[in-house]
Amino acid sequence: MCAMNRRTVFSLVAFAAIAMPLLSANGGEEYPELPRRITGETDEARAERMAWWRHDRFGMFIHFGLYSVAARHEWVKSLEYIPDEEYDSKYFSRFDPDLLDAKAWVAAAKRAGMKYVVLTTKHHEGFCLWDTKTTDYKSTNTPFGRDIVREFVDACRDAGLKVGFYFSLMDWHHPDYTVDIGHPRRPQDKRDWTEENFARLNAGKDMARFRDFMFAQVRELLTGYGKIDIIWYDFTIKDKFGKTYKDWNAVELVRLTRRLQPTAIIDSRLDLMDTDDGWDFVTPEQFKVQSWPTVRGKRVPWETCQTFSGSWGYYRDEETWKSVPQLVELLVHSVSHGGNLILDVGPTARGEFDARATERLDGLSRWMHWNSRSIYGCGPAPDGFDAPHGTILTYNEKAKRLYIHLFDYPMGFLPLAFLDKIEYAQFLHDGSEVKIQPPATHHSQSGDQKGALGGLVLPVKKPAVDCPVIECWVKQTNKEN
Ligand code: GLC
């Protein structure tokens, strides 16, 4: 009960920390001293660099670390204020995911239609999944003894999926990392969150030393594993007793990232929203956007990051798992609003995806096997195509095809206000024609509205697909097309 309350408090803190930069970015400048541009890259070059990511739309997050052994949230050390010695003697010394097979992780992502995979190389607990020279706190020093990042990268490359590194800016293990409101050593009673208390807790700690350590880690990751496609820095707790971009020397961190990996795509959690190029995409977390996110009035690339259940790391007893139809809807909804979806799996302490995750991934595989054409390379429908009730539309601009996702399967007929724009229609899962019924030229004697609009004639029985999709060829009025 007590743990639940703390968790609720924490998700609020995390949400505020992530939402605030977005709000401030829309509302004006928070840091007038920051230059608008820090890398010198043109907007065109950036758009080109991100073309594959915008096209692919769907990725997998993998959260794996010592917390997977505790199996009750990746923030467990902070949520339960666990001292270092206890955490390490229980989890570090027992970390041995003997069933871990990075190829199997990546194969599951690929089957589900995901095109990129982002692994937590280090989460907030500070434990490194690679054989770093910067610390002993790494997987190669545990009973497991393997460089998980290396195995992961090799598996992604073999499978032809893009490689992403999540890297936590926070580090609860490093002695120089200052205590903030997310840290396991913060005062447990909020009333004790005072200047004096944080100053006392942070006496002798030196963020400059921590930054050197962090930069060295980033250098290793970005030079030791070949081409990295995405780097996901996470995150800046914006609070009086939190951090800002200055704590990370974020401007230099972005420049370093660009130097070492010129094509890598960077997320937006370095507290650099006042710059135009200190981030590539925004990251609405566990939240379905209502409209295409904007920054300073302009639509920006975005990716919603979501868990299957309520935790990123493996959480044995958590049961708020999203269903397959909910996940399909989330994916389609994201694409129809111009964004990407990254779905998270937290492997078990033995290194495998558990049955609940596997079941969801299998459901997504089934759906994507037939319907991925309505996802890849797609975005919102053009003006003039209003989604009929119970449907979501996506559109492939290049192929000029419109996709009608039937979440609320109609009874035999789908009236369409934009029927005159459709040349041909078929079900996507089996390529069978869906007949177009033009509007009637006479008044209906039975008082129904069927004839008035015209529409698509569907089988009464819903096809055996979680969400059937109709693929429509859109008439091209422009002669050049
Ligand atoms: C939040 C959480 C973190 C998770 C991340 C993924 O920042 O602190 O646990 O890794 O979101 O987006």
Side-chain angles (χ1 to χ4, degrees):
M1 174 65 190
C2 186
M4 273 316 284
N5 287 338
R6 285 203 300 266
R7 198 166 308 125
T8 313
V9 168
F10 252 86
S11 29
L12 286 176
V13 170
F15 177 76
I18 289 155
M20 270 166 60
L22 261 180
L23 298 178
S24 90
N26 282 318
E29 278 180 20
E30 192 180 357
Y31 306 117
E33 74 280 7
L34 268 179
R36 216 14 116 63
R37 299 216 157 240
I38 61 178
T39 69
E41 187 185 42
T42 63
D43 289 344
E44 294 70 38
R46 180 208 241 174
E48 205 171 299
R49 180 164 56 77
M50 295 185 69
W52 72 264
W53 184 88
R54 279 198 317 273
H55 174 274
D56 287 355
R57 293 292 186 217
F58 193 24
M60 176 184 276
F61 233 145
I62 300 181
H63 275 63
F64 192 53
L66 300 181
Y67 46 80
S68 314
V69 184
R72 50 183 193 278
H73 206 280
E74 75 285 353
W75 276 69
V76 63
K77 188 176 185 186
S78 172
L79 293 169
E80 299 181 11
Y81 309 98
I82 304 175
D84 291 334
E85 312 71 53
E86 184 186 334
Y87 196 77
D88 295 343
S89 65
K90 275 175 141 181
Y91 312 133
F92 181 83
S93 64
R94 292 196 176 86
F95 183 77
D96 191 11
D98 60 326
L99 298 177
L100 192 158
D101 175 3
K103 284 194 169 56
W105 289 356
V106 169
K110 188 169 179 167
R111 268 198 310 276
M114 294 150 164
K115 295 285 196 179
Y116 54 95
V117 191
V118 181
L119 171 70
T120 52
T121 57
K122 171 175 101 164
H123 203 261
H124 310 334
E125 63 180 1
F127 177 66
C128 300
L129 298 191
W130 78 101
D131 191 15
T132 175
K133 295 191 177 59
T134 61
T135 173
D136 293 337
Y137 206 49
K138 55 181 176 179
S139 55
T140 44
N141 278 347
T142 64
F144 188 53
R146 282 158 45 185
D147 183 326
I148 298 170
V149 170
R150 174 80 59 206
E151 295 179 18
F152 163 77
V153 169
D154 291 347
C156 289
R157 296 238 170 82
D158 286 353
L161 298 197
K162 296 278 198 300
V163 181
F165 284 172
Y166 168 106
F167 181 83
S168 174
L169 300 164
M170 289 186 248
D171 189 323
W172 301 330
H173 179 76
H174 196 278
D176 280 313
Y177 183 84
T178 51
V179 175
D180 50 37
I181 59 163
H183 198 284
R185 297 283 74 73
R186 72 194 178 281
Q188 297 194 16
D189 188 332
K190 252 187 132 173
R191 285 167 298 188
D192 296 330
W193 290 7
T194 61
E195 308 261 1
E196 305 75 60
N197 283 338
F198 279 101
R200 189 175 40 75
L201 286 163
N202 288 326
K205 291 184 186 291
D206 182 353
M207 278 299 281
R209 264 197 315 248
F210 172 74
R211 279 191 292 276
D212 287 345
F213 164 80
M214 183 177 83
F215 271 63
Q217 293 200 322
V218 168
R219 240 178 248 118
E220 277 185 358
L221 285 169
L222 300 187
T223 54
Y225 296 88
K227 183 167 173 272
I228 304 307
D229 303 293
I230 298 168
I231 172 132
W232 232 97
Y233 292 114
D234 190 46
F235 71 84
T236 312
I237 294 191
K238 309 260 289 169
D239 185 87
K240 185 168 166 215
F241 303 117
K243 301 276 192 288
T244 73
Y245 76 92
K246 292 180 190 145
D247 290 287
W248 323 124
N249 195 0
V251 170
E252 285 314 314
L253 192 59
V254 167
R255 289 180 178 149
L256 176 74
T257 308
R258 288 261 170 276
R259 250 195 330 275
L260 299 178
Q261 294 284 345
T263 55
I265 296 173
I266 307 178
D267 71 321
S268 61
R269 296 191 175 177
L270 285 159
D271 191 28
L272 289 178
M273 294 310 294
D274 277 359
T275 71
D276 283 341
D277 57 358
W279 51 278
D280 288 322
F281 64 94
V282 296
T283 56
E285 176 170 334
Q286 305 282 49
F287 175 71
K288 236 164 112 180
V289 303
Q290 299 300 299
S291 59
W292 191 320
T294 59
V295 171
R296 290 181 280 280
K298 265 179 43 192
R299 286 176 167 191
V300 293
W302 66 275
E303 172 190 75
T304 179
C305 46
Q306 303 260 352
T307 54
F308 283 135
S309 70
S311 166
W312 300 84
Y314 178 59
Y315 198 139
R316 186 192 56 210
D317 301 335
E318 218 278 341
E319 289 298 345
T320 63
W321 286 68
K322 299 172 182 87
S323 68
V324 172
Q326 277 179 311
L327 293 163
V328 168
E329 206 260 352
L330 183 60
L331 174 62
V332 174
H333 172 90
S334 303
V335 175
S336 75
H337 287 77
N340 286 23
L341 169 66
I342 185 164
L343 271 180
D344 177 74
V345 183
T348 70
R350 297 198 62 191
E352 282 187 324
F353 293 179
D354 86 341
R356 296 166 296 185
T358 303
E359 195 235 281
R360 268 70 184 180
L361 287 165
D362 286 349
L364 287 165
S365 308
R366 241 186 352 263
W367 192 83
M368 285 294 278
H369 170 75
W370 287 317
N371 298 302
S372 63
R373 235 146 70 191
S374 76
I375 301 297
Y376 303 140
C378 291
D383 291 344
F385 291 86
D386 293 330
H389 174 78
T391 74
I392 299 182
L393 305 181
T394 63
Y395 182 66
N396 186 317
E397 172 66 47
K398 222 162 149 196
K400 312 284 181 214
R401 292 194 202 167
L402 179 83
Y403 297 94
I404 309 176
H405 300 79
L406 304 172
F407 285 100
D408 185 2
Y409 191 75
M411 252 214 301
F413 189 72
L414 180 72
L416 270 193
F418 50 79
L419 197 66
D420 58 326
K421 299 191 167 81
I422 303 301
E423 189 178 290
Y424 182 79
Q426 66 180 21
F427 271 126
L428 191 48
H429 64 278
D430 65 356
S432 63
E433 179 178 8
V434 170
K435 288 186 87 176
I436 296 174
Q437 182 175 300
T441 47
H442 54 270
H443 289 295
S444 157
Q445 294 181 46
S446 47
D448 62 45
Q449 301 162 354
K450 185 172 172 183
L453 267 180
L456 301 176
V457 183
L458 301 171
V460 171
K461 189 169 171 207
K462 182 185 166 192
V465 186
D466 271 322
C467 165
V469 181
I470 302 172
E471 180 175 49
C472 303
W473 275 250
V474 172
K475 283 183 193 158
Q476 297 307 302
T477 41
N478 185 340
K479 295 266 170 341
E480 285 163 33
N481 286 313

